Each structure stands twice: as C-alpha cells, then as structure tokens.
Amino acid sequence: MSPDQLLERIAATLRRDIGPAIGDEYPRTQAFMAAVVLQKLGRGLACAPAHRAAAAADMDALVADLEAALAAAPPPSAIAAAVAGLERGRDAAALCALIEALYANREALDPARFDTLLSRVRRTLRADIDRRVEVAA
C-alpha cells in the first residue's frame, strides 16, 4: 500500500469510526479535522511526482521561451545574467532573481518587450499556483 493510500485509509477510519464514537464535541471535531489533514497530505503525496515533473517541464519551457525572446536583440546584462541563472538553477530563487532583474531594467526595455517577458514568467507562476490549488482543494 502506498503512503497516500495509507493516509486516506486512516482518514476514512477517523471520519467513519473514531469521530462518531467520541462523545465530547471538541475531541470529536479534532478527530474530523485530523481526517481532513491526513486526506490533504495523502493527496499531496499522490500528486507530488506528477507535479515535480510538470514544474520541471514548465521551467524548461520558460527558459527556452525566454532565450528565444531575447535572441532577437540583446537584453540588458542583468536580465541576461538572470536568465542564465534560471537556466542553471531552475528554482524559485532563480525565478525571483529574474523577476527582480526585469523590474530593475524595465526602463531599458521597451514596454511591449517587458510585458512579453513578464507575462511569460507569470504563465509559469500561474501553473505552479494551479498545481498547489489542486492539492489544497
């Protein structure tokens, strides 16, 4: 039995057997809330491999799209360095550094190019939020 299935079974036992058998309101509520927490943990464990793969694919696509968008005209050096850092790190810290570089060099980019780059970053961030909501729902 996988860990997510085990957590789901424990949650079901808390909801079906333990919670209703408790006479006091406060401990009964805690049993039901524990079931909710375990169920969410199980869902998170079940989704984790697919979410990791999707996040890696999103980061690969973001790096490729940014490099293609910046190939036509060289960007300010701070943005080029941030994109290179994102390509190496492929993590949240590198993505934050890129966003900071975009905003810090906003005036050096024309407004349309800035919006294009930032909207591409936002698409990746939105996909990450959607994956997190899938687990939290």
Side-chain angles (χ1 to χ4, degrees):
M1 177 179 300
S2 66
D4 58 295
Q5 292 171 329
L6 179 61
L7 289 173
E8 182 61 40
R9 287 184 67 182
I10 294 169
T13 300
L14 281 167
R15 261 192 319 277
R16 186 186 59 242
D17 300 327
I18 297 172
I22 298 173
D24 293 334
E25 184 177 325
Y26 183 72
R28 182 176 52 243
T29 301
Q30 286 184 319
F32 285 121
M33 288 309 298
V36 170
V37 169
L38 291 174
Q39 190 173 23
K40 288 187 183 292
L41 284 172
R43 190 175 311 133
L45 285 174
C47 294
H51 285 188
R52 275 192 302 275
D58 286 349
M59 201 60 76
D60 291 344
L62 174 62
V63 168
D65 289 350
L66 290 173
E67 288 176 344
L70 296 174
S77 60
I79 293 175
V83 171
L86 181 65
E87 186 174 10
R88 280 189 311 276
R90 296 179 190 261
D91 59 9
L95 191 55
C96 288
L98 172 63
I99 294 167
E100 289 172 357
L102 285 172
Y103 276 103
N105 293 278
R106 185 177 194 167
E107 298 301 319
L109 298 169
D110 69 71
R113 193 171 191 202
F114 173 79
D115 289 341
T116 299
L117 295 172
L118 189 60
S119 68
R120 181 57 190 90
V121 170
R122 285 179 175 160
R123 201 170 35 165
T124 298
L125 292 171
R126 181 71 232 180
D128 182 57
I129 289 170
D130 290 343
R131 282 188 295 274
R132 291 172 192 251
V133 168
E134 179 184 341
V135 172

